[in-house]
Amino acid sequence: MGVLFGLQLWQSHHYTVRVSSDYLNGVARGIEKDTTGSLRTISLFLRDLATVAGQDSDRDDLRRAMSSRSKTIPEIRQAFIADADGIILVSTRADLEGLSVARRPYFTQAAALPPDRSLYLSSPIHVEQTQATVLFATLPRFAGNGRFMGVVGVSLSIDYFNQLTSRMLPAGENAAVLILTEGGDIIARAPSPEAFIGKNVSHGDGFKSHMALGRQTSEHRHVTATDNLEKLSIFHSLRTPGLPPLVIIASQPLDHILAPWRSQAVVHTLVFAALSVAVVVLSSLLWRSHVSLAASEGKLRGMFHEIPLGLALTTQDCRIIETNPAFQEILGRNDEALRDKSVAELTPPEYATQDALLLESLRQTGRFGPCDKKLMRADGSLVEVRVKGMRIIGPHGEPLVWSIVEDIGDERAAARALAESADELSRSNKELEAFAYIASHDLREPLRMINSFLQLLERRLDGRLDQECLEFLAFARDGARRMDRMILDLLEFSRVGRGENSTTETSDMNLVTRSALALLTTATADAKIVVQNLPTVRGNMEMLQRLMQNLISNACKYRHPERPCEIHITWERQADLAHFRVTDNGIGIAEEYRERVFGLFQRLHRSEEIEGSGIGLAICRKTVESLGGAIWVESPTGTGTTFHFTLPLPAN
């Protein structure tokens, strides 16, 4: 019995690994298809360019033709034609013409390619002129008499191939996809390409084994050379005639692959262990004496009766032989009412298809589940349960089934209650937003009346009021004005995120920032503002304009009195998010106030010192969070303030 159980666990383990292997093989072939398509397009482009280069064409016309054609292939950064001495004759970048590439591998090795490989692809190369890491693809040119005439080539964006691997990245933490040269140099990886591009893994056990086997596809369990984790990896060699040989690796950690199998193995082991203990105890007692058999059977019965999970022993055609009290309590029936009853009689008709699949799984694998379903209680009500089981051999050699049934009604009820609470919270938030909008709109009317009558009173009593009375009237008007400003800000706050398309629209942050600066011409007149070339993000342009306007306005308001105001707006990519920074050299924010500043009507200075209602940063936070981002502040002592915020990038 132990051998059979061990064999069953081994078969389950083998099946789990086989499924993951097939999945990773599909990932590798998908990347092969996309990579081959890209390289074929580049090869056709270079062949066309070689044909044009062989004609007597004006250099400017040739450069324009190269530039126009290369723009149709997104992965191409620039194209060039070099003569037999390695001198660049024509390039889409005119500043490169006249430079020598004679000692570059992509020139020297292109001329030595075998007949079945007309295209050479380099390892990643860092280009000093552009500070970018690129790949070079080159094609040799020959005259009709076979004389070497030079090469045509392109530099390729590594980002294109990184995006290709990212799209096909397998599920699970620490999963990875790589594209390598045949020499083991990494040219693309997901995730974290920046940490691995250009590194060589030819010393890794998996890579060495794959290359030694000489197969197109091979499977390896090994400790990876890049992240030092034990993984299941599929190595797939790209060997398409006319294209450079590459190696594609798709891998998942074995811990991730085997986690479901281990969970099932624990359950099966516990059931098996319980049954094994019972068998050992009974065998031992039979060996000692027939008298103690009843006592031993009583102990086993006690465990069977006291276990909190429902247990049912059935025939292979699902007729109940025996149940424990927990099972009887779940169904509201006693053992006599359940005995010899078919499980199908206790199951609603809509689960017939699912039960048929469970029986098929039992016949093929010797186990089924876990799966969720409903069973009928004695009073006709339905109870939600989770069932799983395994096939065993009965005392006379007949196949029987142990089933474990767990009541999950409370778990499901809690989930439904949580969903209802979330819906209720959503409705409540919408009602509060509507209330804020209406209240803010209606409260402005009495303020306008107060301000109007104050002005009327001042004109009516003109010349009869002393200086103190005039100051009182000025205070009252100023208070009404600031109250009106606060109500307008509250109205704006309530509107943030109300638009249905706020997260489906896209906006160019360069245009957004220019629009915000145009509205702040006076405030930024004497400020130095440096803006990096910004990306396009998901979000409504009006909302994003208010965000940038508030942040730039704050930087101008809270400038340091002893130095000119400087503002820097920069960004960087973080996965599918754009991380922005708005940095100033102002008076800064003390650490204890860095969270408080995002609250409604939270001001750190009196209105007489710095104008404002204390709601601008609250609007910023609500804007960013409604778009799926986050906002926070850093303010090193004495060096100004940096507001960080993230916004989602478009899917493409």
Side-chain angles (χ1 to χ4, degrees):
M1 185 174 179
V3 173
L4 291 175
F5 182 71
L7 179 61
Q8 185 183 44
L9 286 180
W10 179 85
Q11 289 175 336
S12 174
H13 177 279
H14 179 75
Y15 174 77
T16 301
V17 173
R18 185 75 266 146
V19 168
S20 294
S21 175
D22 292 343
Y23 168 58
L24 293 174
N25 192 45
V27 170
R29 291 189 178 278
I31 294 175
E32 176 195 25
K33 179 181 178 182
D34 291 345
T35 304
T36 301
S38 174
L39 293 177
R40 279 177 175 158
T41 301
I42 293 165
S43 178
L44 290 173
F45 171 81
L46 290 177
R47 291 180 187 277
D48 188 28
L49 186 57
T51 301
V52 174
Q55 302 170 358
D56 292 330
S57 302
D58 179 74
R59 180 176 295 186
D60 291 335
D61 291 341
L62 186 55
R63 187 185 304 111
R64 282 192 294 270
M66 289 165 57
S67 178
S68 174
R69 295 178 186 180
S70 65
K71 288 178 181 178
T72 63
I73 305 175
E75 52 265 47
I76 294 180
R77 294 173 62 91
Q78 65 103 0
F80 65 91
I81 302 172
D83 63 14
D85 296 323
I87 304 301
I88 296 180
L89 301 176
V90 185
S91 171
T92 54
R93 286 185 53 194
D95 59 312
L96 299 180
E97 293 176 1
L99 295 180
S100 174
V101 295
R103 295 186 179 181
R104 300 288 187 181
Y106 55 81
F107 179 84
T108 58
Q109 295 191 24
L113 288 174
D116 63 337
R117 274 185 53 198
S118 55
L119 182 67
Y120 172 78
L121 184 67
S122 74
S123 298
I125 297 175
H126 184 72
V127 180
E128 292 295 336
Q129 293 92 333
T130 61
Q131 291 299 307
T133 301
V134 299
L135 304 173
F136 280 90
T138 50
L139 189 76
R141 297 190 298 121
F142 296 96
N145 59 3
R147 183 169 60 89
F148 177 63
M149 299 293 292
V151 301
V152 292
V154 292
S155 64
L156 305 176
S157 169
I158 282 183
D159 289 341
Y160 174 84
F161 295 96
N162 285 332
Q163 291 171 6
L164 188 152
T165 56
S166 295
R167 289 196 302 269
M168 300 295 291
L169 183 64
E173 185 178 2
N174 294 317
V177 176
L178 299 88
I179 303 177
L180 307 92
T181 65
E182 209 171 37
D185 292 328
I186 299 175
I187 65 175
R189 187 188 192 274
S192 305
E194 64 282 350
F196 298 97
I197 296 301
K199 291 188 176 181
N200 187 280
V201 298
S202 60
H203 61 283
D205 293 339
F207 187 87
K208 289 192 293 186
S209 298
H210 173 71
M211 299 304 291
L213 288 171
R215 300 175 188 164
Q216 184 173 18
T217 302
S218 63
E219 174 187 316
H220 301 275
R221 299 187 200 182
H222 62 116
V223 176
T224 57
T226 53
D227 45 21
N228 202 33
L229 295 175
E230 187 178 10
K231 292 185 177 181
L232 174 69
S233 298
I234 293 297
F235 288 73
H236 188 78
S237 293
L238 193 156
R239 298 170 180 167
T240 304
L243 299 181
L246 297 174
V247 178
I248 297 165
I249 305 176
S251 64
Q252 285 182 308
L254 279 172
D255 282 346
H256 171 79
I257 293 172
L258 296 177
W261 173 81
R262 286 169 178 157
S263 298
Q264 291 184 357
V266 167
V267 173
H268 295 167
T269 302
L270 289 174
V271 174
F272 177 77
L275 293 174
S276 298
V277 168
V279 170
V280 170
V281 170
L282 289 173
S283 299
S284 176
L285 292 175
L286 282 171
W287 180 261
R288 292 175 183 177
S289 68
H290 293 287
V291 177
S292 58
L293 179 60
S296 298
E297 187 176 11
K299 291 179 182 179
L300 183 60
R301 282 289 168 189
M303 184 174 66
F304 177 75
H305 284 284
E306 295 300 326
I307 192 169
L309 293 175
L311 295 176
L313 182 64
T314 66
T315 61
Q316 189 150 343
D317 60 356
C318 296
R319 291 208 163 270
I320 296 174
I321 299 172
E322 188 176 9
T323 60
N324 72 341
F327 186 92
Q328 298 161 23
E329 183 179 353
I330 290 172
L331 292 183
R333 306 169 188 260
N334 58 31
D335 186 60
E336 186 178 348
L338 291 168
R339 194 180 299 273
D340 204 37
K341 188 177 285 290
S342 171
V343 174
E345 298 177 50
L346 305 173
T347 304
E350 59 265 27
Y351 291 97
T353 301
Q354 176 179 302
D355 285 355
L357 293 175
L358 293 179
L359 286 173
E360 182 63 25
S361 174
L362 183 65
R363 279 192 290 270
Q364 292 186 4
T365 67
R367 63 185 183 277
F368 65 86
C371 69
D372 298 346
K373 60 182 291 186
K374 293 181 180 180
L375 294 176
M376 291 185 290
R377 295 171 59 87
D379 58 5
S381 62
L382 299 178
V383 58
E384 295 178 282
V385 296
R386 182 168 292 131
V387 298
K388 53 192 169 186
M390 64 182 296
R391 184 172 56 224
I392 65 170
I393 303 301
H396 305 294
E398 74 279 19
L400 300 176
V401 180
W402 266 120
S403 298
I404 302 174
V405 180
E406 180 184 0
D407 186 347
I408 60 171
D410 291 342
E411 176 186 326
R412 289 294 178 84
R416 287 192 291 269
L418 182 60
E420 291 171 1
S421 297
D423 292 341
E424 181 62 29
L425 180 60
S426 176
R427 286 195 297 271
S428 177
N429 284 338
K430 290 179 181 177
E431 291 172 358
L432 285 173
E433 288 178 357
F435 173 77
Y437 176 80
I438 295 169
S440 300
H441 186 273
D442 292 347
L443 282 174
R444 294 192 67 207
E445 179 58 31
L447 281 174
R448 284 194 291 268
M449 183 177 295
I450 290 171
N451 200 41
S452 298
F453 275 98
L454 285 172
Q455 292 176 351
L456 182 62
L457 183 62
E458 185 177 10
R459 286 197 300 271
R460 187 69 61 87
L461 299 176
D462 186 26
R464 287 182 283 171
L465 297 174
D466 58 20
Q467 187 61 34
E468 186 177 21
C469 291
L470 290 174
E471 288 182 359
F472 290 164
L473 285 173
F475 288 153
R477 285 200 308 274
D478 183 62
R481 180 185 60 80
R482 285 191 286 112
M483 186 65 181
D484 187 57
R485 181 70 261 169
M486 291 173 70
I487 291 173
L488 283 174
D489 287 342
L490 183 60
L491 180 60
E492 183 178 359
F493 180 80
S494 70
R495 288 171 174 166
V496 174
R498 291 166 64 92
E500 294 181 358
N501 299 321
S502 60
T503 59
T504 57
E505 299 178 25
T506 58
S507 300
D508 184 344
M509 288 299 289
N510 293 300
L511 297 178
V512 168
T513 304
R514 285 199 289 271
S515 299
L517 289 171
L519 297 174
L520 296 169
T521 304
T522 303
T524 60
D526 58 348
K528 177 183 177 182
I529 301 177
V530 180
V531 183
Q532 183 184 351
N533 186 32
L534 302 177
T536 296
V537 299
R538 293 212 314 267
N540 175 269
M541 184 155 184
E542 183 181 350
M543 292 173 62
L544 295 173
Q545 179 181 306
R546 283 200 303 267
L547 168 67
M548 296 303 293
Q549 186 177 343
N550 279 331
L551 293 176
I552 297 171
S553 174
N554 268 14
C556 294
K557 285 181 185 178
Y558 298 98
R559 64 180 64 192
H560 198 285
E562 297 179 359
R563 51 181 176 245
C565 177
E566 289 189 15
I567 304 171
H568 294 263
I569 303 174
T570 60
W571 82 286
E572 64 180 6
R573 187 186 186 102
Q574 292 182 349
D576 57 351
L577 295 175
H579 178 182
F580 294 88
R581 295 179 178 87
V582 179
T583 303
D584 63 56
N585 64 342
I587 60 176
I589 300 173
E591 184 175 358
E592 61 267 27
Y593 300 125
R594 290 176 194 169
E595 183 61 28
R596 175 183 165 188
V597 294
F598 292 105
L600 278 171
F601 304 118
Q602 295 296 316
R603 293 179 49 82
L604 306 184
H605 302 269
R606 297 195 305 273
S607 59
E608 295 83 358
E609 298 174 354
I610 298 177
E611 184 181 0
S613 62
I615 201 172
L617 290 178
I619 292 175
C620 289
R621 168 168 280 184
K622 189 174 181 184
T623 297
V624 171
E625 290 180 350
S626 70
L627 295 174
I631 185 169
W632 66 97
V633 63
E634 292 178 352
S635 184
T637 305
T639 61
T641 302
T642 298
F643 281 92
H644 301 256
F645 62 94
T646 58
L647 293 173
L649 292 165
N652 59 354

